[in-house]
């Protein structure tokens, strides 16, 4: 019994020291941390001294044991409360507090072990009986003796309290478990199809990822070396991650657990549930510079200036879900691209790759000259004045595709229209980066060249549509004749296919990231940072994108480039934001097992 008493005294010393570390005089939530710790420790100390340390009262030891069961959780709440205030705490202060908490936790576990019925009897020769069990035995006697119902009421009360106690302790145990060991994650979207389906449950290993105490940087170091292909769960960097946001996140997690997942306050400023954390696959690591083109990922490092295709990425990237196996298809809820549209996307890419710059140069000049001659245009206008006729927003690709006839009418009604149209169609030809001999661009990459050629394809189709509209208008064709004109319909079909491609281009392509430095030299993802994408590339909001769309040019190498709305804004994720790697999928049972690469 002396062993239990000595450990109990050590436990109380740790608890008092920990509580003292929470003293704070700020007028905010942190002031309650000391109150929580010292009040709990005071009551616990009173019962410990009265029933064990001063004189052992075997019938009351269960009360002390119950306090020991809650002690680590109450102290952890005090720890969080102290750091939720406006001022926060420094690392050294947190470290000392954590050491005291670990002392409380270790001695509490040891005491509960010694107070287990078998161990306690072995140490002291005395039997410990739970309070609820004594009433259970009593109720059996009262039934035989047909006594009053008072004992039954007491038994029922203890039974209900015991259930509540078990549930609350389970919540806190799961919370501790999730902070430091494993976290069970429910897949919320189809961004990782076919590896993960909606509502799949996976276990995320956190122990090797360097778990930290809530609202502090104190914890274990990261023992995991993350590599390309690892599926990880990480904090969403699209949201502001500072101390205030972390306080809200931790509080929401506590409420979520304490209300048995019925209350989730982890919402953004618009009241929407945050997509945080995220589960994605690491597709690039520190020391790499990357870009994507036509669904292929390219990478280079400081050791090689040449971009090379990342062959492994094709094992994970899923663009055409229509070709997945029937066994997987039954779980897929949404197909972002139907097979005919996907075929059209690939045809557009094939056409762009085979595009001859010399041929399209001649085509653009011919279209411009024909419209100029048709309208009897004049060159007698200042070029700067002409350039200001239309802003980039006026060249929004969807507007030019849908309203090509109205755009033609506006050009024909403006005396400067044919001159502007000439610049629109041919100004790119004089760009110094255009190399007609090599049919490409000087000092560029596949992404820049592809965007440049895609813009020319749209420009040629739109130019032909404008020219055909003008010819029909000048010939006196009626509206119904224009609507039924087969040549015009062919150009509009080309514009429709190009528009469809542009709608998906930021899911299938990505500019060089990180972008080159101002002097043109390459920049690379920093060490211990990673780039993540979802496997379902057409249906994944990941590190390629931002929350808000903005208008951008298809190519910066053409002053008169078409524009479109994009949310392209690549960013890397620091290692410290990774919560862990996915380990085992435990639900559904039919697909349970270790997570890895889906079969192709």
């Amino acid at each position: 019994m002396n062993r239990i008493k000595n450990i109990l005294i050590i436990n109380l010393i740790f608890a008092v020291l920990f509580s003292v570390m929470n003293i704070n005089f700020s007028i905010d939530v942190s002031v309650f941390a000391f109150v929580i710790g010292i009040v709990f420790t005071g009551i616990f100390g009173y019962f410990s001294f009265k029933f064990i340390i001063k004189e052992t009262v075997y019938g009351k030891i269960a009360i002390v044991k119950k306090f020991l069961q809650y002690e680590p959780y109450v102290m952890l709440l005090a720890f969080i409360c102290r750091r939720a205030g406006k001022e926060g705490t420094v690392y050294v202060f947190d470290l000392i507090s954590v050491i005291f908490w670990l002392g409380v936790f270790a001695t509490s576990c040891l005491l509960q072990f010694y107070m287990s019925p078998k161990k306690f009897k072995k140490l002291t020769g005395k039997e410990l009986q739970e309070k609820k069990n004594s009433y259970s035995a009593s109720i059996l006697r009262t039934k035989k003796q047909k006594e009053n119902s008072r004992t039954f009421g007491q038994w029922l009360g203890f039974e209900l309290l015991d259930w509540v106690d078990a549930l609350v302790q389970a919540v806190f145990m799961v919370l501790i478990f999730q902070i430091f060991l494993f976290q069970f994650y429910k897949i919320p979207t189809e961004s990782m199809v076919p590896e993960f389906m909606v509502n799949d449950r996976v276990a995320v290993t956190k122990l090797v990822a360097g778990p930290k105490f809530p609202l502090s940087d104190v914890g274990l170091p990261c023992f995991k070396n993350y590599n390309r292909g690892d599926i990880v769960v990480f904090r969403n960097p699209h949201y502001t991650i500072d101390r205030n946001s972390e306080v809200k996140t931790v509080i929401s997690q506590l409420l979520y657990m304490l209300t048995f997942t019925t209350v989730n306050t982890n919402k953004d400023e618009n009241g929407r549930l945050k997509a945080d954390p995220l589960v994605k696959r690491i597709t690039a690591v520190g020391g790499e510079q990357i870009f994507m083109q036509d669904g292929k990922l390219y990478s280079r490092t400081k050791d090689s200036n040449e971009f090379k295709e990342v062959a492994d990425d094709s094992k994970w990237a899923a663009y055409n879900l229509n070709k997945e196996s029937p066994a997987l298809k039954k779980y897929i809820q949404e197909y972002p691209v139907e097979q005919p549209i996907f075929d059209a996307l690939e045809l557009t890419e094939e056409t762009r790759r085979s595009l001859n710059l010399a041929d399209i140069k001649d085509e653009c000049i011919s279209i411009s000259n024909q419209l100029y001659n048709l309208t009897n245009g004049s060159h007698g206008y200042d070029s700067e004045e002409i350039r200001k006729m239309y802003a980039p927003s006026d060249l929004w690709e969807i507007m030019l595709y849908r309203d090509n006839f109205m755009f033609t009418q506006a050009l024909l009604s403006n005396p400067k229209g044919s001159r502007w149209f000439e610049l629109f169609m041919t100004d790119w030809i004089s760009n110094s980066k255009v190399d007609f001999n090599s049919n490409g661009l000087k000092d560029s990459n596949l992404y820049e060249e592809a965007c440049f050629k895609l813009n020319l394809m749209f420009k040629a189709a739109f130019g032909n549509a404008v020219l055909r509209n003008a010819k029909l208008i000048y010939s006196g064709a009626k509206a119904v004749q224009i609507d039924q004109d087969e040549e015009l319909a062919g150009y509009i079909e080309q514009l429709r296919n190009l528009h469809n491609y542009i709608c998906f281009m930021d899911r299938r392509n990505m500019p060089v990231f990180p972008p080159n430095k101002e002097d043109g030299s390459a920049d690379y993802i920093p060490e211990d940072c990673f780039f993540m994408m979802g496997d379902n590339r057409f249906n994944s909001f990941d590190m390629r994108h931002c929350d808000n769309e903005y208008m951008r040019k298809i190519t910066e190498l053409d002053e008169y480039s078409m524009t479109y709305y994009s949310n392209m804004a690549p960013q890397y994720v620091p290692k410290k934001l990774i919560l862990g790697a996915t380990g085992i999928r435990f639900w559904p049972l039919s697909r349970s097992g270790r997570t890895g690469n889906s079969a192709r």
Side-chain angles (χ1 to χ4, degrees):
M1 194 64 195
N2 287 334
R3 184 184 300 180
I4 293 177
K5 290 180 180 181
N6 292 334
I7 297 174
L8 186 57
I9 292 172
I10 295 172
N11 175 275
L12 289 170
I13 292 173
F14 276 126
V16 170
L17 291 174
F18 179 85
S19 299
V20 170
M21 292 293 293
N22 289 319
I23 294 177
N24 186 36
F25 299 102
S26 299
I27 309 301
D28 55 37
V29 67
S30 61
V31 77
F32 295 105
F34 173 71
V35 176
I36 294 172
I38 204 65
V39 169
F40 182 91
T41 303
I43 298 173
F44 175 42
Y46 169 77
F47 287 118
S48 299
F49 183 79
K50 184 175 180 179
F51 298 142
I52 294 181
I53 298 174
K54 183 179 179 181
E55 180 182 357
T56 304
V57 182
Y58 293 100
K60 302 293 185 180
I61 290 178
I63 297 176
V64 176
K65 185 177 179 181
K66 187 59 63 179
F67 272 92
L68 284 169
Q69 291 172 349
Y70 278 94
E71 187 182 34
Y73 311 134
V74 173
M75 296 305 174
L76 184 61
L77 286 176
F79 182 91
I80 295 171
C81 191
R82 174 64 180 88
R83 280 137 195 87
K86 296 179 181 179
E87 296 181 2
T89 50
V90 297
Y91 179 82
V92 174
F93 189 90
D94 290 342
L95 179 60
I96 296 172
S97 297
V98 167
I99 291 173
F100 290 152
W101 183 87
L102 290 173
V104 169
F105 179 77
T107 54
S108 172
C109 292
L110 189 59
L111 284 168
Q112 290 180 67
F113 171 71
Y114 284 140
M115 289 181 183
S116 63
K118 290 184 179 180
K119 189 67 177 178
F120 190 83
K121 184 176 181 180
K122 185 177 180 180
L123 286 174
T124 66
K126 301 288 185 179
E127 296 237 4
L128 282 181
Q129 187 176 29
E130 299 294 339
K131 191 72 174 174
K132 185 194 78 170
N133 293 337
S134 66
Y135 276 105
S136 298
S138 176
I139 190 62
L140 293 175
R141 291 195 299 270
T142 56
K143 282 183 178 179
K144 293 180 181 179
Q145 300 167 3
K146 298 183 179 181
E147 295 179 354
N148 59 49
S149 62
R150 180 181 177 186
T151 306
F152 176 79
Q154 291 175 326
W155 170 83
L156 182 61
F158 272 89
E159 191 72 25
L160 292 174
L161 285 174
D162 194 63
W163 274 100
V164 172
D165 169 61
L167 286 173
V168 173
Q169 286 200 54
V171 167
F172 280 111
M173 287 180 65
V174 169
L175 185 63
I176 295 289
F177 189 82
Q178 289 194 155
I179 290 174
F180 299 108
L181 299 177
F182 291 93
Q183 183 168 357
F184 300 125
Y185 190 76
K186 178 181 176 182
I187 304 299
T189 69
E190 292 196 310
S191 67
M192 286 299 293
V193 169
E195 182 64 49
F196 292 131
M197 305 298 172
V198 172
N199 295 328
D200 278 7
R201 268 74 166 182
V202 296
V204 178
T205 307
K206 301 187 74 173
L207 187 61
V208 297
K212 301 294 186 290
F213 276 75
L215 303 180
S216 77
D217 292 325
V218 180
L220 294 176
C222 181
F223 299 104
K224 171 74 174 176
N225 292 320
Y226 296 103
N227 300 303
R228 191 195 324 272
D230 289 343
I231 302 175
V232 294
V233 175
F234 59 98
R235 298 297 308 278
N236 189 344
H238 293 108
Y239 299 113
T240 300
I241 301 178
D242 55 19
R243 207 179 64 80
N244 290 334
S245 66
E246 289 300 272
V247 169
K248 293 179 181 178
T249 298
V250 170
I251 292 175
S252 70
Q253 289 175 341
L254 286 173
L255 286 174
Y256 189 68
M257 294 299 296
L258 289 172
T259 58
F260 304 103
T261 71
T262 59
V263 177
N264 190 344
T265 60
N266 190 26
K267 299 179 180 180
D268 60 20
E269 59 275 9
N270 298 317
R272 296 173 298 191
L273 289 177
K274 286 185 176 180
D276 185 32
L278 296 174
V279 54
K280 306 292 177 187
R281 192 185 297 273
I282 294 177
T283 51
V285 299
E288 288 187 293
Q289 187 182 45
I290 58 175
F291 75 88
M292 286 175 59
Q293 187 56 50
D294 297 349
K296 296 179 180 180
L297 180 67
Y298 295 84
S299 169
R300 68 177 176 183
T301 64
K302 296 177 182 178
D303 299 329
S304 175
N305 194 45
E306 181 183 357
F307 280 106
K308 296 181 180 179
E309 182 183 348
V310 181
D312 284 342
D313 190 67
S314 61
K315 299 177 183 177
W316 312 309
Y319 290 99
N320 187 6
L321 300 183
N322 303 284
K323 292 186 176 181
E324 294 296 335
S325 66
L328 283 173
K329 278 186 174 183
K330 66 181 182 181
Y331 295 103
I332 299 175
Q333 299 178 7
E334 179 182 354
Y335 292 84
V337 180
E338 299 295 335
Q339 188 63 46
I341 296 179
F342 186 82
D343 292 339
L345 297 180
E346 289 194 316
L347 180 60
T348 297
E349 291 174 344
E350 183 180 346
T351 304
R352 188 210 66 235
R353 287 192 292 267
S354 63
L355 187 72
N356 186 283
L357 291 179
D359 290 343
I360 202 164
K361 167 190 170 183
D362 293 340
E363 183 178 4
C364 287
I365 292 174
S366 174
I367 293 170
S368 171
N369 288 339
Q370 288 185 64
L371 186 73
Y372 181 82
N373 294 331
L374 187 65
T375 60
N376 296 316
S378 172
H379 291 282
Y381 297 103
D382 179 69
S383 60
E384 287 301 316
E385 180 183 3
I386 297 296
R387 290 178 186 274
K388 295 178 181 178
M389 274 184 60
Y390 292 101
S393 58
D394 297 321
L395 301 181
W396 184 21
E397 54 85 18
I398 190 170
M399 183 177 67
L400 297 185
Y401 150 53
R402 291 178 178 175
D403 301 332
N404 61 87
F405 185 78
M406 287 188 289
F407 198 95
T408 303
Q409 289 178 312
L411 280 178
L412 297 181
S413 63
N414 191 325
K416 308 171 187 177
S418 60
R419 174 59 178 148
W420 178 89
F421 188 73
E422 179 186 8
L423 292 174
F424 170 79
M425 294 300 300
T426 62
D427 189 68
W428 64 271
I429 298 172
S430 60
N431 191 299
S432 59
K433 291 195 71 171
V434 179
D435 188 347
F436 291 101
N437 293 324
S438 65
N439 194 39
L441 299 177
K442 301 174 184 176
D443 301 321
S444 67
N445 53 66
L446 284 177
Y447 178 84
E448 289 181 339
E449 188 171 296
C451 290
F452 186 78
K453 289 185 175 181
L454 180 67
N455 178 65
L456 294 183
M457 290 171 63
F458 198 103
K459 183 165 290 194
F462 176 71
N464 277 314
V466 169
L467 179 60
R468 184 58 184 168
N469 281 326
K471 288 180 177 179
L472 291 171
I473 291 172
Y474 274 92
S475 69
K478 297 180 180 180
V480 65
Q481 294 175 306
I482 296 175
D483 290 339
Q484 296 176 354
D485 186 78
E486 292 185 1
E487 182 179 345
L488 179 60
Y491 298 137
I492 293 177
E493 180 64 20
Q494 292 177 30
L495 289 173
R496 180 184 295 109
N497 290 333
L498 290 165
H499 163 70
N500 288 339
Y501 185 83
I502 292 171
C503 288
F504 292 102
M505 67 178 295
D506 283 354
R507 298 291 191 272
R508 196 159 164 83
N509 310 290
M510 185 182 77
V512 169
F513 176 76
N516 291 334
K517 300 175 182 178
E518 291 185 2
D519 62 2
S521 61
D523 198 4
Y524 302 94
I525 298 172
E527 294 300 324
D528 286 332
C529 293
F530 305 89
F531 188 79
M532 287 80 159
M533 288 190 283
D535 289 352
N536 189 359
R537 296 287 163 85
F538 281 146
N539 192 14
S540 174
F541 180 73
D542 48 44
M543 295 305 99
R544 294 171 291 173
H545 314 120
C546 64
D547 289 316
N548 301 316
E549 290 190 335
Y550 62 97
M551 180 168 280
R552 65 180 296 202
K553 291 183 175 181
I554 293 178
T555 175
E556 293 294 335
L557 300 179
D558 181 8
E559 182 179 348
Y560 299 90
S561 169
M562 309 298 167
T563 57
Y564 72 106
Y565 276 95
S566 169
N567 64 349
M568 180 67 71
Q571 60 180 312
Y572 49 76
V573 178
K575 189 176 184 178
K576 66 179 182 180
L577 294 185
I578 298 180
L579 302 178
T582 58
I584 297 175
R585 174 175 38 228
F586 58 89
W587 189 265
L589 296 176
S590 60
R591 294 188 297 111
S592 61
R594 291 196 59 83
T595 59
N597 302 335
S598 296
R600 281 281 182 261

